[in-house]
Amino acid sequence: MTRTATVSLATDLDAYRISLRAYLGNGDALDRWRGKHHATTEERIAEHAALMAHLYEDGWNRYGWPAGAGGLGGDERHRGVLYDELSAAGLPVPDPQLMLETLGPPVVHFAPDLAARYLPEYLRGENWWGQGFSEPEAGSDLAGLRCRARRDGDHYVLSGQKLWTSHGATASRFVCLVRTGTTESRHRGLSMIMVDRDTPGVSVRPIALASGYRELAEVFFDDVVVPADRLIGAENQGWAVAMYLLQWERAMYAWQSAAVALRRFRELLGQVAGTPLPDGAATRVGECYADIVALRARSVQTVRRLAAGETVGPEASVDKVLLATAEISLHDLARDLLGTGFVFGAGADTGDWRADWWFSRSATVLGGSAEVQRTILADHVLGLPKEPRA
């Protein structure tokens, strides 16, 4: 790829889309990732990391990230196009890329030195990060976190536990929200820090989901010594970093998920083509498609705002509510259209649908429950009266 072409694709979104589409549809080099089924989480992540390496080598997943962090310029719209075109070409959106959209932007913004050091190897699929926010007694209430980081000279000493750590079973590093102030300081006493998995005192206990896949993990910190330069943002600025992060967790993750949902929707219709369908199936199919399109229509507005450098506030909770609706709608539709094969089928296709259906049950809980999201919208967007306390 010439320098002229690189500059053009970074500034011309249509040129990037057209060139990427031609690249994904040309040659057999990408066929190993099309329609492939994996027996374990570890196997799937390894294959997806290999796809990231392939895309990085030819530059495609570097667009949308700044040059100082290993990117080739462009903005969030380039990353959105990447996920769209991968799904349209029958390729997976790599799982580590999903977490990168949540954790990458705050690291780039608040810790550019860490981004320059570690983001390129993430984009190459060599290492990826897990998100360590939730704890046994602090899920949606992040201000109640107890995992502590105590400053000791040029280091922090971490002690405590994280639960439901996204990508925790396979991640090389963890981006953790920890308490550096008093318990009473609530959100004003939090900081965000990056911790290597292989640091002495870190132990990981993978969590097997109902599907059997090990998507999440418990992570324990036993007097773990972490250099102070791993801090993301200033000490006790963690809440501001987390609020900044939520913009991408809501918008970019929603856009990625919608792109994947459209690919899975097409695959489902192809899988049941020619078979008798239950009464009302056409209506259900239409409703499911409308849910996915509604999610895309909403999240594209948020992605454009992020690309323009705007701050997206509590209204991003709309994206999260629509995402949960679309994911549950799609997987419930698959369960009903596949019939007994969904429950008893031994094929890889039905096995994947079963696993994804189980995971979709968490859609209204992960990343902030649906009830919390609706309360945020009621309080901070619609300005509705507070609910009376009992």
Side-chain angles (χ1 to χ4, degrees):
M1 186 179 298
T2 66
R3 179 179 176 83
T4 301
T6 300
V7 172
S8 174
L9 297 185
T11 56
D12 189 332
L13 193 64
D14 288 335
Y16 173 72
R17 181 188 298 276
I18 293 168
S19 299
L20 174 60
R21 185 174 298 173
Y23 169 82
L24 296 176
N26 183 28
D28 300 329
L30 293 163
D31 284 348
R32 64 175 277 195
W33 291 287
R34 286 189 173 94
K36 191 165 184 178
H37 307 280
H38 308 285
T40 66
T41 299
E42 292 79 3
E43 178 185 303
R44 183 182 72 249
I45 292 284
E47 277 294 299
H48 286 193
L51 175 56
M52 291 179 70
H54 188 89
L55 294 170
Y56 183 92
E57 183 178 355
D58 291 328
W60 297 107
N61 69 346
R62 299 174 64 190
Y63 288 99
W65 298 101
L72 292 174
D75 55 46
E76 285 76 7
R77 295 171 301 166
H78 283 79
R79 306 198 311 258
V81 167
L82 172 65
Y83 308 136
D84 263 7
E85 294 302 326
L86 284 170
S87 292
L91 291 160
V93 173
D95 280 3
Q97 201 88 30
L98 300 174
M99 189 52 57
L100 179 60
E101 282 297 347
T102 298
L103 300 177
V107 173
V108 169
H109 184 76
F110 290 96
D113 290 344
L114 291 180
R117 198 185 318 171
Y118 297 122
L119 196 66
E121 62 185 32
Y122 197 137
L123 290 169
R124 291 194 297 267
E126 295 173 359
N127 293 290
W128 50 92
W129 310 335
Q131 183 179 4
F133 280 23
S134 296
E135 296 179 8
E137 296 181 8
S140 295
D141 179 22
L142 290 179
L145 295 178
R146 296 184 179 182
C147 183
R148 176 164 294 281
R150 172 177 54 84
R151 184 69 182 253
D152 183 10
D154 294 332
H155 297 79
Y156 285 92
V157 180
L158 272 62
S159 298
Q161 175 188 358
K162 291 296 178 180
L163 184 62
W164 312 123
T165 302
S166 300
H167 289 203
T170 59
S172 309
R173 294 188 173 89
F174 303 109
V175 174
C176 297
L177 198 59
V178 296
R179 182 158 299 285
T180 44
T182 64
T183 304
E184 293 73 25
S185 63
R186 299 284 288 171
H187 63 274
R188 293 183 299 277
L190 300 178
S191 301
M192 196 171 294
I193 196 165
M194 182 181 289
V195 186
D196 289 348
R197 181 195 186 106
D198 58 3
T199 305
V202 176
S203 56
V204 178
R205 184 183 300 166
I207 299 173
L209 305 182
S211 62
Y213 289 118
R214 306 198 304 177
E215 308 280 352
L216 308 171
E218 291 180 276
V219 183
F220 299 87
F221 304 98
D222 184 11
D223 290 335
V224 176
V225 178
V226 183
D229 65 5
R230 292 296 193 88
L231 208 61
I232 300 169
E235 184 174 304
N236 295 327
Q237 193 186 9
W239 187 257
V241 180
M243 293 303 98
Y244 182 88
L245 172 153
L246 283 178
Q247 301 174 90
W248 281 268
E249 185 176 73
R250 299 287 184 262
M252 294 304 298
Y253 182 77
W255 184 263
Q256 288 172 308
S257 298
V260 173
L262 276 178
R263 174 175 62 82
R264 296 291 278 152
F265 180 77
R266 292 191 297 267
E267 291 171 353
L268 174 63
L269 296 186
Q271 200 170 335
V272 301
T275 63
L277 299 179
D279 292 342
T283 299
R284 291 282 307 284
V285 167
E287 290 172 345
C288 178
Y289 182 70
D291 288 336
I292 298 172
V293 170
L295 172 61
R296 283 176 62 83
R298 168 64 197 187
S299 59
V300 72
Q301 297 178 37
T302 314
V303 171
R304 286 171 178 162
R305 289 182 62 189
L306 290 173
E310 298 180 25
T311 298
V312 180
E315 64 273 20
S317 289
V318 173
D319 303 58
K320 178 66 170 66
V321 172
L322 291 174
L323 170 59
T325 301
E327 288 196 339
I328 290 174
S329 175
L330 171 63
H331 293 95
D332 282 354
L333 178 66
R335 176 198 60 195
D336 296 342
L337 293 189
L338 294 173
T340 56
F342 177 86
V343 179
F344 300 111
D349 286 345
T350 51
D352 285 350
W353 279 114
R354 279 196 301 271
D356 290 345
W357 183 88
W358 278 114
F359 196 79
S360 72
R361 300 306 92 183
S362 66
T364 56
V365 178
L366 288 178
S369 70
E371 291 80 6
V372 169
Q373 303 308 315
R374 290 187 171 92
T375 299
I376 290 172
L377 292 171
D379 291 348
H380 301 292
V381 177
L382 299 177
L384 298 179
K386 299 282 188 180
E387 293 183 6
R389 293 186 178 273

